[in-house]
Amino acid sequence: MCEQCHPALAEPTPEAPRHRARLWEIDNQWHCTIIGTSLSLGELKGVATRFKVQMRSARPGAYEIHTSMIHLASRERQVGKALTKLLDRKHAVAINRAKPLAGEDALTLWWEDALTRGDVASACWAVMSHPDTTDSLRNRVFGDIHMLSHQVGAAARADLRSIHQLEREKADLEAKVARQQDRLKGEIGRRNTEIRELRQLLDQEAAESRRLAHAADSAREMDRLHRALGEVHHLLEVETAFRQVAEDEARRLQAQARDRDAENERLQRDVRDMRDELAASESRLAATLAPAAEAGDGLGECDEDCARLDLCGRCILFVGGRNQHLPHFRRLVEEAGGTFTHHDGGFEESMGRLHSLFGRADAVLFPVDSVSHGAHDEVKRLCRRWEKPFVPVRRSGLGAFIRALSTVAEQ
């Protein structure tokens, strides 16, 4: 665990805000616990890529990405906002459940229940950001997660032993299946040889029967041949049934081997996940005992398209979308020299108001992933009627909105 998360090395905590705390409003001594527990490495990589965070190495490892994002969370407001937004969206259910709780005692009981159920990641952020959470409770959450990392390491070692045992059982089973298949192939070959010999005998008997057709004892010979033929047919039926049973057994053993393979792969995935959690916990502990060197990370600058975006006073009408994005969209439009109006696509606002907004709109944008089909059809119809540019936004996120604004600016 890194030095920022250890209470003994952190600066004094400022007075907690009464609203639910953002990440940068929480003392940086808790950032390691929050980011390492409530966000995955893939999500941290996504944020680092989005903001073009410069790492010290060309191919940074998990620990370098982890410490870099902790470093930037309290120093770069854009990164802090992005991480807070990601945490809120990912753990929205737990946040809503903790919202009505009041006082440290109620939050402590709720945290203990979440810890018992194994819902640590979501409960960690919900408790850490709650307005009634105290430093004492945050220290309790830190301690519980720290001890949990030790338990995860022990469980990972036990699972490794189980995997090794399963691999040995798999090898034994595969050897058994191979021996069984070899035996079945040999048995089938022997039976096929017997069948060919019996068929040859049958042909010979049939020829002899024709030769003796006019002989005095042809009737007795024919009776014998008929009995021999019946025995051959019976033997063929028995051998065919035996072969079918053997093939069924081989298929069953093969299916059992495939099931073992699938179970082995599942356990290996579990072990990899536990290794990742253990590695993160050990990294935080190692950083506490031996503080890491200061990181020289930075944010990438806005690209050329973003820098020259100019709406030239256009009025942008945005239909649908998520409410938490609207302030950011409005700021982007206004900074680009435009004006921003919004309609929720008929969820709460009437469609009659949408008609009135079209008169002063210069371009109409809507996110295709968060607007109803009825609103989509109505927007297209009104755009054709008012001869307004119609710009669908691929997602309701900020990047897709900026690309759509670039399209409007180029028109």
Side-chain angles (χ1 to χ4, degrees):
M1 108 185 21
C2 52
E3 67 272 15
Q4 288 99 328
C5 73
H6 199 283
L9 304 177
E11 300 176 355
T13 304
E15 183 178 354
R18 293 311 302 162
H19 61 270
R20 199 169 59 79
R22 287 82 165 179
L23 185 59
W24 65 86
E25 294 174 338
I26 300 173
D27 195 276
N28 58 11
Q29 64 176 310
W30 316 113
H31 287 180
C32 179
T33 300
I34 294 171
I35 293 175
T37 302
S38 301
L39 292 176
S40 68
L41 180 61
E43 291 166 336
L44 293 179
K45 287 181 178 179
V47 174
T49 301
R50 174 184 171 188
F51 288 97
K52 301 179 182 178
V53 174
Q54 302 298 320
M55 302 291 178
R56 285 176 295 176
S57 56
R59 300 179 64 182
Y63 176 70
E64 184 176 351
I65 295 172
H66 172 75
T67 55
S68 296
M69 300 312 292
I70 292 172
H71 176 79
L72 294 173
S74 58
R75 291 167 176 81
E76 293 291 346
R77 182 59 61 86
Q78 289 181 328
V79 175
K81 286 182 177 180
L83 292 174
T84 300
K85 180 179 178 181
L86 182 59
L87 287 164
D88 289 345
R89 183 171 62 250
K90 181 176 181 180
H91 305 297
V93 174
I95 291 171
N96 290 332
R97 290 176 179 171
K99 185 175 182 180
L101 301 177
E104 182 178 355
D105 293 339
L107 285 170
T108 300
L109 291 175
W110 188 77
W111 163 253
E112 291 174 349
D113 179 66
L115 193 65
T116 302
R117 291 184 285 103
D119 188 17
V120 177
S122 295
C124 173
W125 174 239
V127 172
M128 286 291 198
S129 62
H130 197 280
D132 289 346
T133 299
T134 63
D135 283 351
S136 174
L137 179 54
R138 289 191 175 105
N139 194 53
R140 164 70 182 278
V141 173
F142 163 80
D144 289 341
I145 292 176
H146 177 80
M147 295 309 299
L148 185 62
S149 68
H150 295 300
Q151 298 172 8
V152 169
R157 291 191 292 272
D159 283 343
L160 282 174
R161 289 194 295 272
S162 176
I163 286 177
H164 292 157
Q165 178 63 27
L166 287 173
E167 288 176 346
R168 288 193 295 271
E169 292 177 0
K170 176 190 172 185
D172 294 341
L173 184 58
E174 288 175 345
K176 180 180 178 181
V177 170
R179 291 193 300 271
Q180 183 74 1
Q181 288 179 338
D182 292 340
R183 187 182 68 81
L184 290 175
K185 288 178 181 178
E187 184 68 18
I188 290 171
R190 187 180 64 80
R191 298 296 181 184
N192 288 338
T193 300
E194 291 180 359
I195 290 172
R196 285 194 299 271
E197 292 174 352
L198 288 171
R199 285 176 175 170
Q200 291 174 0
L201 178 61
L202 180 60
D203 293 339
Q204 294 171 3
E205 293 294 340
E208 183 68 14
S209 175
R210 288 190 298 270
R211 190 180 67 83
L212 298 175
H214 300 289
D217 56 346
S218 60
R220 290 191 299 271
E221 186 66 16
M222 288 297 295
D223 289 339
R224 187 185 69 79
L225 289 175
H226 282 306
R227 288 194 298 271
L229 182 60
E231 292 174 358
V232 169
H233 282 307
H234 176 69
L235 181 60
L236 285 172
E237 292 174 356
V238 171
E239 293 301 330
T240 301
F242 179 79
R243 180 175 179 176
Q244 182 64 40
V245 170
E247 291 176 349
D248 292 342
E249 178 66 13
R251 285 193 292 270
R252 187 187 67 81
L253 292 174
Q254 290 172 350
Q256 186 176 1
R258 288 193 297 270
D259 292 341
R260 289 296 180 96
D261 288 342
E263 177 68 12
N264 190 26
E265 291 177 0
R266 185 188 66 78
L267 288 175
Q268 287 177 344
R269 288 195 300 270
D270 291 344
V271 168
R272 285 195 296 269
D273 293 341
M274 290 182 180
R275 280 176 176 170
D276 291 341
E277 295 176 5
L278 179 60
S281 300
E282 290 177 348
S283 297
R284 291 195 296 271
L285 180 59
T288 302
L289 299 178
E294 293 184 0
D297 304 321
L299 286 174
E301 297 298 332
C302 182
D303 60 24
E304 208 172 291
D305 292 336
C306 176
R308 65 167 180 262
L309 184 61
D310 186 2
L311 295 176
C312 300
R314 291 185 179 93
C315 178
I316 305 300
L317 171 58
F318 187 71
V319 181
R322 297 183 173 89
N323 290 334
Q324 64 268 30
H325 294 158
L326 297 180
H328 306 297
F329 294 168
R330 183 181 300 278
R331 182 173 60 84
L332 283 171
V333 172
E334 292 174 352
E335 288 178 356
T339 58
F340 180 84
T341 59
H342 173 256
H343 190 278
D344 66 1
F347 287 105
E348 294 181 0
E349 298 180 272
S350 69
M351 295 303 290
R353 182 175 178 270
L354 179 62
H355 291 226
S356 65
L357 293 176
F358 260 80
R360 54 196 176 102
D362 295 306
V364 181
L365 280 64
F366 77 97
V368 297
D369 63 345
S370 58
V371 71
S372 66
H373 291 293
H376 170 269
D377 295 339
E378 182 66 11
V379 168
K380 290 183 68 175
R381 187 183 68 80
L382 289 173
C383 283
R384 288 193 298 268
R385 175 182 173 186
W386 288 84
E387 297 181 351
K388 301 291 185 179
F390 175 72
V391 184
V393 183
R394 186 164 57 91
R395 293 192 304 271
S396 57
L398 208 56
F401 184 77
I402 292 174
R403 285 195 292 273
L405 286 183
S406 299
T407 301
V408 174
E410 292 170 359
Q411 291 178 348

